[in-house]
Amino acid sequence: MNTDGPAIPQDFEAALLSLRGLRQRPELHLEEVPAPTRIAPYALALTGEVNETRDPDTILGSGRFVVLHDPEGQSAWGGTFRVIVLARAELEDELGADPLLGEVGWAWLTDALAEEGARHERLSGTVTRVLSESFGGLELSSRAVEIEVRASWTPSTTDLGPHLAAWARLLCSACGLEPLPENVTALGRRH
């Protein structure tokens, strides 16, 4: 978390406190990382990795969740906060060829925001499909299709817990994990 100045604004402190205690799937691993410093005077950044085993070779996807706060507000945001997210995952070839993949990826985000009750305004973003084919000396991996969802929005409240939960749901959806029914906790695999 970067902060310019001696005191953290009350709204930013409330927003940070609202992020504590997120009940997450055991496959999702979060870590705080350095936040951007030029966009807003106050920021927090988390990375997420979806991986059942913690083996780097079995990562299903990754992403980033950033909270920006400018007590003066920014006209482009329409408020004093902005949430920026990224979710990236490898897909099966058939899904990568689906002409509706962009709409599906965007629906994962909008559905997650609605299901988590993350009230927001000014939602914008992109869904990108990347097809990589290896040739020559890189024949170890043949072909890979990846989806990347990038979005930002202005939260309607300082309670950002639902926004973090929505991003976590988006990331897990992109990785092909089915949503858990309410009041059900996923158990990790036994080794």
Side-chain angles (χ1 to χ4, degrees):
M1 168 183 65
N2 70 315
T3 57
D4 288 343
I8 297 174
Q10 234 177 356
D11 282 350
F12 189 62
E13 184 177 5
L16 294 180
L17 291 173
S18 74
L19 297 174
R20 288 188 176 172
L22 170 69
R23 288 189 59 186
Q24 63 195 38
R25 298 179 71 121
E27 303 94 344
L28 178 60
H29 309 283
L30 301 179
E31 181 179 334
E32 186 173 351
V33 295
T37 57
R38 296 182 186 187
I39 304 170
Y42 302 92
L44 168 81
L46 301 172
T47 59
E49 179 181 283
V50 179
N51 188 343
E52 292 178 327
T53 67
R54 298 294 275 176
D55 176 349
D57 293 333
T58 62
I59 294 173
L60 298 174
S62 62
R64 192 168 169 105
F65 179 87
V66 177
V67 176
L68 303 175
H69 178 59
D70 185 342
E72 302 296 317
Q74 293 195 18
S75 60
W77 300 353
T80 60
F81 281 92
R82 192 74 178 167
V83 172
I84 302 169
V85 299
L86 164 69
R88 179 182 302 134
E90 194 168 317
L91 299 174
E92 296 174 8
D93 282 349
E94 311 82 60
L95 288 174
D98 187 335
L100 298 177
L101 181 62
E103 292 175 36
V104 169
W106 194 251
W108 289 335
L109 172 63
T110 57
D111 290 351
L113 288 166
E115 289 166 9
E116 295 296 341
R119 295 186 2 240
H120 62 280
E121 302 169 1
R122 299 190 183 204
L123 174 64
S124 63
T126 62
V127 178
T128 305
R129 167 191 353 229
V130 178
L131 170 62
S132 300
E133 295 181 274
S134 301
F135 299 97
L138 296 175
E139 292 176 2
L140 295 174
S141 61
S142 58
R143 204 173 127 116
V145 179
E146 200 173 72
I147 187 170
E148 182 177 277
V149 180
R150 292 179 179 265
S152 66
W153 61 85
T154 301
S156 302
T157 174
T158 59
D159 181 7
L160 300 184
H163 300 265
L164 179 58
W167 167 73
R169 184 182 289 246
L170 161 67
L171 183 53
C172 289
S173 293
C175 292
L177 300 179
E178 294 292 325
L180 293 175
E182 195 170 324
N183 296 324
V184 172
T185 301
L187 299 175
R189 287 189 175 165
R190 290 184 180 197
H191 300 283

